[in-house]
Amino acid sequence: MSGLFGTFNVAKRGMSAQQKALDVVSHNIANANTEGYSRQRATMEASRPFGMPSMNNAMGPGQLGTGVQISSISRIRDGFLDYQVRTENGTSGLYEGREEFLTQIEGIMNEPSDTGVSTLLTKVFNSWGDLSLHPESSNSRTVVAQQSKALTDELNNTYNQLIKLKGNSQEVIKQNVVDINNMLDQINVLNQQVISVKVGGNEPNDLMDKRDLLVDQLSAKFGISIDKKGLGGEDLKADGYDAYLVKSIGKDDVSRFSYVSSIELKDKNDPTQGYNVTYYKNGDMSQKSETISMQLTPGQYKELDQCRVLLADKAGNVEKADGTLNLFLPKTGELQGYMSVQADIDKYVNELNNLAKGIAFSINAVHSGSATATEEDLFFVNSTDPTAAGEQSINAGNISIKKAIIDDVMLIKVGIGDTPGPTDGKRALAISSLRDIRLAIQDIDAGKTRAEFLTGKFDLDATLGVNMVKSNLNGMTVSGYFTDIVNRLAVQTQEAKRIVKNHGLLLAGLDESRTSISGVSLDEEMANMIQFQHAYQANAKIISTVDELLDVVINGLKK
């Protein structure tokens, strides 16, 4: 329609388009500080003109425009930057998880300090050296007993704190399982809502922002891969796994995660009976637990104990393949960080156990003069089984001083003779010299006996006149072994901190790049607002002008 009414409609469309553009600007400004929000842009295009080519108007002046319309309201987003951020989120999450717990392990080790294991080891050997100079002194014997007890107490405490820390890391894994399942459910719902809005011909920008924010958060938990589907849908998997976690079609045919709360032997006296593996569906411990009976090799037990996360169906039922559990072992992300730290804790606990056992075996051997454990001559014992047989099971958690020695320090053997009491001090000097003896501590295992540990390395020392442990060229001193543990821990912690820092800088750069594209610039939005405001006012002026012209046409003819 041409004429004044046509002009009126053009101006009306112009006002409507500028108003919608102002609405978009207003929405952007309102969400300038909203996490995950992507700025939106109203795309304008010329509306369909009058005078489409035909036989009747072929020689006319051309098509007559009918104004403007909003063709779409789209969000500004760079998919490649999203991919980069999510990839770096996984690596950063891995080392942030490691740093968190490795730092706590350093605090538990408490090195270097005046009360740490290293200092207490030195004090123990020094006390034996002082006792060799004053074998008749009950005070010197008391110092040996008390310093040795301080060492065992610190080993017990360190062991218990590490075990507790491992339990804490498992609690964090459990909470992550719950959070991850909740995220996946939310993403699944948003996915379907996006598709529904797209089917209606609209752009679900805010819904897609919410989905992308959840995907960003999920990518810090473990590595993910995303397949873009039609109508804005997305299919999501964990890197290295074929199971879908989110599907645009068949939304219920997806996997979730369950949490293993305990792995216990059916019969502690008969390991061949297998294990009871107890798990909670979707990590929800408010629901009834489920138990599976199964056989586990030592390697499978260790892997399951350190992992604790099972791939399950949507209801949380664990998937079994050939009688085994389908463990979820991500390559990156916070989950992998917490899982790997458990392996580190197990390693440090095992090394502390070796240290405790090496100390007990070597000092007990020299104190008793025998490579074979005898109950009456023990100095260090297993607090849960203080017999000669219990010595084989000594670890950092149960090592202690024989109670009879604490009660009567005169039972400590000091000299060459087998009878406790004030003698020459040669045996005490031999025990003191153990600080410089290289022991194969790294080769100790849970089942090794004192005799096996000292095979070929225990003989009479001609100078001291007592049976003495001989140095092993492939071994380490007691202090050197513990120092090596502390140094490796420090290297691991510093590596985690360095990588967290480096990836933090990289992520900050990527976030800045993404924000420069998707973020809201208040200066830019204010400029757009003024531009659309002026355009709106100009269109309103056209309507006012058309109104005056119509008044001339309608009322002016009466004159």
Side-chain angles (χ1 to χ4, degrees):
M1 179 175 62
S2 58
L4 291 176
F5 287 105
T7 307
F8 181 87
N9 285 327
V10 169
K12 178 184 174 184
R13 287 194 185 95
M15 289 181 67
S16 178
Q18 306 308 320
Q19 181 180 340
K20 288 182 180 178
L22 281 169
D23 288 342
V24 173
V25 169
S26 176
H27 188 54
N28 286 339
I29 293 174
N31 287 279
N33 296 316
T34 300
E35 183 183 7
Y37 179 79
S38 302
R39 68 185 176 93
Q40 298 177 15
R41 179 173 60 196
T43 303
M44 299 184 188
E45 66 177 15
S47 56
R48 184 174 181 177
F50 288 126
M52 297 299 288
S54 67
M55 291 296 293
N56 295 327
N57 65 4
M59 300 303 293
Q63 293 178 317
L64 181 61
T66 59
V68 67
Q69 64 184 12
I70 300 293
S71 61
S72 67
I73 299 175
S74 57
R75 62 181 190 147
I76 310 301
R77 196 88 180 188
D78 188 319
F80 181 63
L81 280 175
D82 285 340
Y83 169 78
Q84 287 182 297
V85 167
R86 289 162 187 169
T87 300
E88 293 304 322
N89 274 343
T91 304
S92 182
L94 165 62
Y95 285 97
E96 283 177 356
R98 286 185 58 75
E99 180 194 17
E100 177 184 351
F101 281 93
L102 287 174
T103 301
Q104 293 184 56
I105 296 175
E106 276 195 323
I108 291 171
M109 289 296 190
N110 193 28
E111 293 289 343
S113 74
D114 295 335
T115 57
V117 171
S118 182
T119 299
L120 292 174
L121 275 171
T122 300
K123 289 182 177 180
V124 166
F125 287 123
N126 287 344
S127 67
W128 281 102
D130 292 340
L131 179 58
S132 71
L133 299 176
H134 307 284
E136 75 289 347
S137 171
S138 62
N139 289 338
S140 296
R141 293 167 184 259
T142 299
V143 171
V144 167
Q146 293 303 318
Q147 293 290 3
S148 299
K149 185 176 185 304
L151 174 62
T152 59
D153 287 347
E154 182 61 23
L155 287 171
N156 296 163
N157 179 65
T158 302
Y159 175 92
N160 292 331
Q161 289 295 319
L162 287 175
I163 297 300
K164 182 178 179 180
L165 184 62
K166 183 179 179 181
N168 291 343
S169 68
Q170 291 173 353
E171 283 295 312
V172 174
I173 290 176
K174 180 196 74 175
Q175 187 57 52
N176 270 264
V177 167
V178 175
D179 293 343
I180 288 168
N181 286 329
N182 287 336
M183 286 182 194
L184 291 172
D185 289 342
Q186 291 178 63
I187 293 171
N188 215 11
V189 170
L190 287 168
N191 209 34
Q192 298 305 311
Q193 290 175 344
V194 166
I195 293 173
S196 298
V197 174
K198 281 276 192 178
V199 169
N202 296 312
E203 288 294 328
N205 297 316
D206 293 334
L207 292 174
M208 294 170 76
D209 281 343
K210 290 180 181 179
R211 184 179 65 183
D212 283 341
L213 178 59
L214 285 169
V215 172
D216 284 349
Q217 294 170 351
L218 186 65
S219 67
K221 303 295 184 183
F222 56 85
I224 59 175
S225 60
I226 298 175
D227 293 333
K228 300 289 185 180
K229 298 297 181 179
L231 297 174
E234 293 181 351
D235 289 354
L236 191 150
K237 298 179 182 178
D239 281 345
Y241 289 83
D242 292 329
Y244 285 98
L245 302 177
V246 173
K247 288 187 73 175
S248 54
I249 299 177
K251 61 184 178 66
D252 293 326
D253 186 21
V254 292
S255 297
R256 290 294 181 265
F257 302 105
S258 291
Y259 174 75
V260 174
S261 59
S262 65
I263 314 164
E264 297 179 350
L265 283 168
K266 291 183 179 180
D267 185 347
K268 293 183 179 180
N269 298 319
D270 185 9
T272 61
Q273 294 296 314
Y275 293 84
N276 286 325
V277 178
T278 302
Y279 73 96
Y280 286 89
K281 295 179 179 180
N282 296 332
D284 185 1
M285 299 190 78
S286 65
Q287 303 296 321
K288 183 178 179 298
S289 63
E290 302 289 335
T291 301
I292 298 175
S293 298
M294 61 189 308
Q295 296 289 335
L296 293 171
T297 65
Q300 289 173 331
Y301 173 88
K302 184 177 181 180
E303 189 175 46
L304 179 59
D305 179 50
Q306 294 171 356
C307 173
R308 297 279 171 165
V309 183
L310 304 177
L311 200 60
D313 61 20
K314 190 176 182 181
N317 300 304
V318 298
E319 301 173 356
K320 296 184 67 176
D322 301 326
T324 60
L325 296 174
N326 194 359
L327 302 185
F328 181 62
L329 298 167
K331 296 179 181 179
T332 62
E334 291 178 11
L335 270 184
Q336 174 57 25
Y338 299 138
M339 292 174 185
S340 66
V341 162
Q342 289 193 79
D344 291 325
I345 293 174
D346 284 344
K347 183 178 180 181
Y348 289 126
V349 167
N350 183 62
E351 290 174 338
L352 278 178
N353 290 340
N354 291 349
L355 177 68
K357 207 167 186 178
I359 292 171
F361 280 171
S362 57
I363 291 181
N364 282 353
V366 179
H367 185 261
S368 66
S370 172
T372 304
T374 54
E375 187 170 335
E376 63 274 11
D377 292 327
L378 291 176
F379 184 84
F380 289 107
V381 296
N382 180 338
S383 60
T384 59
D385 182 9
T387 65
E391 184 191 50
Q392 181 179 341
S393 302
I394 284 179
N395 59 36
N398 59 38
I399 187 172
S400 65
I401 307 300
K402 188 176 181 180
K403 186 176 185 301
I405 290 177
I406 295 293
D407 295 338
D408 181 7
V409 295
M410 298 307 294
L411 294 177
I412 298 175
K413 291 188 174 183
V414 180
I416 293 177
D418 292 334
T419 304
T423 54
D424 50 70
K426 295 289 184 67
R427 194 177 300 275
L429 181 60
I431 293 176
S432 175
S433 66
L434 284 173
R435 75 172 77 201
D436 301 318
I437 300 298
R438 298 165 70 92
L439 306 172
I441 302 178
Q442 69 277 7
D443 295 332
I444 297 179
D445 56 46
K448 183 163 286 189
T449 64
R450 186 203 301 181
E452 292 170 338
F453 177 65
L454 297 175
T455 300
K457 297 296 178 182
F458 190 70
D459 201 356
L460 181 68
D461 187 288
T463 303
L464 297 175
V466 297
N467 288 332
M468 183 60 181
V469 179
K470 306 299 181 183
S471 272
N472 188 324
L473 294 178
N474 297 321
M476 305 173 69
T477 64
V478 172
S479 295
Y481 182 77
F482 184 72
T483 299
D484 183 63
I485 295 174
V486 174
N487 288 342
R488 280 187 286 107
L489 172 60
V491 170
Q492 283 186 308
T493 306
Q494 289 302 316
E495 178 193 30
K497 289 181 177 179
R498 174 178 55 80
I499 294 177
V500 167
K501 181 178 179 181
N502 291 343
H503 279 271
L505 293 173
L506 180 57
L507 265 175
L510 290 172
D511 280 334
E512 185 177 349
S513 297
R514 187 161 68 168
T515 300
S516 68
I517 295 173
S518 300
V520 175
S521 168
L522 292 178
D523 292 339
E524 181 181 350
E525 297 303 324
M526 291 298 290
N528 289 339
M529 181 179 68
I530 294 172
Q531 176 185 347
F532 298 140
Q533 176 192 2
H534 288 171
Y536 185 92
Q537 290 172 340
N539 280 284
K541 183 63 176 175
I542 291 175
I543 291 178
S544 177
T545 302
V546 170
D547 178 63
E548 293 176 2
L549 294 175
L550 286 172
D551 181 66
V552 171
V553 172
I554 296 171
N555 298 319
L557 295 177
K558 297 179 180 179
K559 297 178 181 180

